[in-house]
Structure formats: C-alpha cells, structure tokens
Amino acid sequence: MSTTEKFFENIEKGYTTKGDYITMGAGMFNGEAVTNAFVKVPLKTLNRHGLIAGATGTGKTKTLQVIAENLSDKGIPVLLMDLKGDLSGIAQPSPGHAKIDERHEKIGLPFEAKGFPVEILSLSEQDGVRLRATVSEFGPVLLSRILDLSVTQEGIVAVVFKYCDDNKLPLLDLKDFKKVLQYATGEGKKEFQEEYGRISTSSTGTILRKIIELEQQGADLFFGEKSFEVDDLVRIDENGRGYINIIRLTDIQDRPKLFSTFMLSLLAEIYATFPEQGDSDRPELILFIDEAHLIFKEASKALLDQIESIVKLIRSKGIGLYFVTQNPTDVPDDVLAQLGLKVQHALRAFTAKDRKAIKLTAENYPDSEFYDTKEVLTSLGIGEALISALDEKGRPTPLAATLLRAPMSRMDVLTDTELNEALGKSKLIKKYNDEIDRESAYEILNEKIEKAEKEAEKEKEREQKRKTSSRRSSSSRRSTRMNPVVKVLTSATFIRGVLGVLKKVIR
Ligand SMILES: Nc1ncnc2c1ncn2[C@@H]1O[C@H](COP(=O)(O)OP(=O)(O)OP(=O)(O)O)[C@@H](O)[C@H]1O
Ligand SMILES: [Mg+2]
C-alpha cells in the first residue's frame, strides 16, 4: 500500500461519523489534496467550541463562512460577529469561478452556488435589527465586572439595583442608573441610609466616572429598550435552513469595552434562556466571533474569569462558540483548553517571535506520522488549513492538512440595493426598531419583572427542596469574600434572567 493510500485510509477511518456532519474539504498529503479523503466534522460535537486561526489573508473568514453556510443547510442557526463588515455576501449566491471549480474537483465535491437566509443586526445606529438590553436585565454582577469595581463599589451597585427592584423602578439605560446613584447620596441619602446602610460619596464618584468612561465607548447605545430576546436568534426559514444572523460591528474596533459588554450580556442571556440540552445529536446555535482578540483586549481579570465561566457552562445548552483570530495566543489559555475544533491556517515566520509562536502552536496539535506539523504550518496555501476535530465519541480526530471547500455564497459584501432588500424582508426590524414610548416601556418591563419574580419564587422553592434533600453547606467561596450587602442581595428573592445565570456562575 502506498503512503498516499495509507493516508487516505487514516482520514477515512478517523473522520467516519454515524450521525450527521459537515464536510470541510479533503485531506492533503505532500502538499496535494487527496481526492475524496473527506474531512468531516460531526454535528454532535460542534457545541464543544472552536478556533479558526492563521495569518492575515490565509482564509479564516472564508472558513467561518463555509462552516456557517453548511450549518444553515443542516437547519442550525448561526450568529456571526462581523467586525470587518465582510460577511454580508452570504445572502447571495457565489458567481462561481474557474478556480473554485478546480478546487472542488480536487476535493471530490460538486460545487453548488446559493445564498442563505440572513438577518442583519446592529449594536449601533447602523441599519439592521437593533440589539439592546436594559440595565435592569444586565444586572449588578455583570455591570460590576464590566466596570471593574472594587468589592465596596460592587456592594453599592447591588444596593442601587435592590432599591430599584424594591421600588419597581426599571433601570432602562445608564442615565437611569446614574440618576439613582446620585439620588442615593443626594436627596435620597436618608432613605437609603435607613434601608441599606451608609453609602460613601467617594465610592459613588468613582462608579460614576467609570460609567461615563463606558458611555464614551458607546455603551449608551446598547443600554435601553427594546431589549432583544435571544430566542429570535434561533429561527429556521421556510425551507428548513437555519438563519444566519450577522451582527455588523464595523464601528466597534476601537471600542472594546462596548464589545465585551455586549458579548457578556449576550452569552449570559443565552445561558439563562436556553434549556439544558443533555446528550444531543446537534447544536442549537453556533456563534462565531471574527477578530476575537478584540473581546479579550483590555478585559480585566474579573471579566476574563466571567467569560471563561460562561464559555464552560454554555456548552451544555448546545451552544458552540467559535473564535476567529490571527494567533491562537490571542485567546486566553483557559478558553483555548476547552476548544474541540481547531482550524489552523498558515502562520508566517518572519521574526524570532513568529517562529516561537509556530513552535508553540504546533505543540498544541496531535502528532501525525504523515506530517511535520511545524513545517506544514508555514507551507499551507490560502484556503488550506490544519484541522483537528472531535469525533462522535469526543476523541480527537487525526490531524489533517485540508484543502477547504469554497463558500457557496458570495465572498464579498452586499451592495446597498441588496442590503436594503435584505433589511426590507426582515421581520425582526419591525419588532425591535419601532420607538417605544417610555410609559409603555415601563409597563413592558414591569410585566417582565413580575414574571421574573414568579420565576424567582419558584427557583427559591426548588432551591429549598434541593437544600433539604442534599443538606449541603451553603457558604460559597465567593460569598465569604463579598461585602455583606452583596451577600444579602445574592440571596434575595429577586432574580433577573441574567442574574439567574450568575448565581450559578459565582458558585
Ligand atoms: N475556502 C476558500 N475557497 C476559495 N477561496 C478562498 C478560500 N479561503 C480563502 N480564499 C481566498 O482568500 C481570500 C482571503 O480570505 P479571507 O478573507 O478569509 O482571509 P482572512 O484570513 O480572514 O484575512 P484577514 O486576517 O485579513 O481577515 C479570499 O478573498 C478568497 O479569495
Ligand atoms: Mg478575516
């Protein structure tokens, strides 16, 4: 048997799946694609998160596009964070190209051109479905993390939320929050002191300054009504294809705080909303974060810990998170260690630092008798990548240099006319972009609060039952460290959607 035949057998065996899967391309040996040596990723392990890495221009974003399209075809909805604005073309069929045909011939897959059902969303005033969350929903814990507050300051934030909850005062935006904070040390000083203890002006001053900093990064655009319901991300079109939700984030590059606020809120909300999935054959929703280094840039330790916890937990809800970035080292080690699918495009060896990074990257991949990983890493062409996935049993598949299939949709952006057409078709724009007057906004939120209260009551009962049955010690590591005020509050009856998550995350 020739070595190529052995290679073929190795790929065929290593990438066999009983259940449904997506095909990434064909394995490559000695720099050439081995036709029909299909590299397949089972849908079953796609909730185990992933990484798409590689030097600029090597094909990361197209790989993201390929995976997203194939998931949509399988009826799995997708959310794309489009930081460079180069993904909207996914709504239109590829015009095709001789090179694409050649690529697919080598792989052994017929090429099919088609567009996909797309919903365009936005965090700012760009066109698209507006993504917002109210400060009330965001909750004291996330707000404290994002503002990087001390334990004392965190206690004050918790008191402000508690006061607003007790008095049914919805905190819609940051303005509302600042107002209550000022009230607590101003006109309302006595009232606050009697109910919740003394609040120091110097602490509220610091919190205010940090909120203003957050506002300067555009967070005031994000906080407010009408808040987005994450259920709207998991829609299927009339042909059974999953919607590809594209969040346009081109104006967010220099505002990492806004981006991390949004990501944290989204992940927490998804975690709170989606049911536990148990052992499932397919994921519920896959999220891709292009230019992912931006969420980790400038993130405080507390914030990173929070992100890591959520990444860990969200998997059991059938949610997969895929980071797309130039260098794997852009992603914190604890997150990297949790990733199931790795698609590594070429790395460039210009400097000593580059060479060190290549060595480190190579060490993170399983050994292969068919390649010298370090060598392959620098010799991969555009639209080729080293792949290591998890098979249905959760075992790593053999390392495969892969000639990737081409996107079925267009590899560039929509024209203005096409974009307007896509926006015109959107059902969500009507739901989220119509102005809500403040009165009705209050009502909507109050209804939500009451629902949350009932939910909290139920949760409390369940908790009580659990406690009596397991008789476990209730003192958590964190609460012993916490300000007494926070301790009281985290055991309070009031739970917001997001806080429900955080109670679990904290423990
Ligand atoms: N799977 C593929 N099939 C066909 N062509 C591809 C494929 N992947 C990449 N290409 C070609 O390579 C070009 C660059 O790819 P892409 O934009 O995905 O790179 P990138 O790694 O995301 O770059 P950057 O770091 O600048 O964002 C594409 O415009 C396309 O022409
Ligand atoms: Mg890119």
Side-chain angles (χ1 to χ4, degrees), residues 347-349 354-362 374 377-378:
L347 287 170
R348 306 274 176 247
D354 290 343
R355 280 188 286 276
K356 219 165 138 192
I358 289 168
K359 195 162 166 270
L360 270 176
T361 306
K374 243 173 38 203
L377 277 176
T378 50

Side-chain angles (χ1 to χ4, degrees), residues 24 52-66 84 86 99-100 103-104 290-291 324-326 345 382-384 403-407 411-412:
M24 301 289 294
I52 302 171
T56 178
T58 50
K60 299 181 296 295
T61 304
K62 300 306 169 263
T63 298
L64 177 167
Q65 189 170 345
V66 162
K84 277 197 169 165
D86 52 359
K99 280 205 171 142
I100 293 181
R103 181 181 278 266
H104 275 251
D290 205 354
E291 310 285 328
V324 185
T325 192
Q326 292 201 4
H345 287 264
I382 291 171
E384 299 173 4
L403 178 64
L404 295 156
R405 66 193 296 173
M411 289 199 262
D412 64 5

Side-chain angles (χ1 to χ4, degrees), residues 278-379:
D279 190 31
S280 170
D281 290 340
R282 51 198 286 119
E284 291 295 308
L285 172 70
I286 299 290
L287 275 74
F288 290 91
I289 309 169
D290 205 354
E291 310 285 328
H293 59 276
L294 286 176
I295 31 165
F296 301 113
K297 193 167 109 185
E298 287 180 35
S300 66
K301 176 79 176 62
L303 186 58
L304 281 180
D305 287 349
Q306 192 80 62
I307 294 176
E308 275 162 29
S309 315
I310 297 185
V311 169
K312 241 177 244 164
L313 291 167
I314 210 165
R315 191 171 104 182
S316 62
K317 307 265 177 159
I319 314 292
L321 216 57
Y322 287 74
F323 300 97
V324 185
T325 192
Q326 292 201 4
N327 211 315
T329 51
D330 293 336
V331 180
D333 283 347
D334 284 352
V335 174
L336 268 188
Q338 299 180 43
L339 307 177
L341 175 66
K342 289 186 211 144
V343 182
Q344 176 67 58
H345 287 264
L347 287 170
R348 306 274 176 247
F350 294 130
T351 64
K353 201 174 150 211
D354 290 343
R355 280 188 286 276
K356 219 165 138 192
I358 289 168
K359 195 162 166 270
L360 270 176
T361 306
E363 280 164 7
N364 272 321
Y365 283 88
D367 283 335
S368 165
E369 58 178 292
F370 299 97
Y371 318 110
D372 171 354
T373 309
K374 243 173 38 203
E375 210 267 323
V376 176
L377 277 176
T378 50
S379 59

Side-chain angles (χ1 to χ4, degrees), residues 16-71:
T16 303
T17 76
K18 283 209 191 84
D20 209 353
Y21 57 86
I22 59 175
T23 306
M24 301 289 294
M28 300 172 74
F29 181 60
N30 274 340
E32 285 298 324
V34 179
T35 311
N36 298 335
F38 296 122
V39 173
K40 302 181 273 188
V41 183
L43 297 186
K44 191 175 167 61
T45 56
L46 277 170
N47 66 328
R48 305 279 291 267
H49 309 315
L51 173 77
I52 302 171
T56 178
T58 50
K60 299 181 296 295
T61 304
K62 300 306 169 263
T63 298
L64 177 167
Q65 189 170 345
V66 162
I67 303 177
E69 293 174 344
N70 281 283
L71 287 171

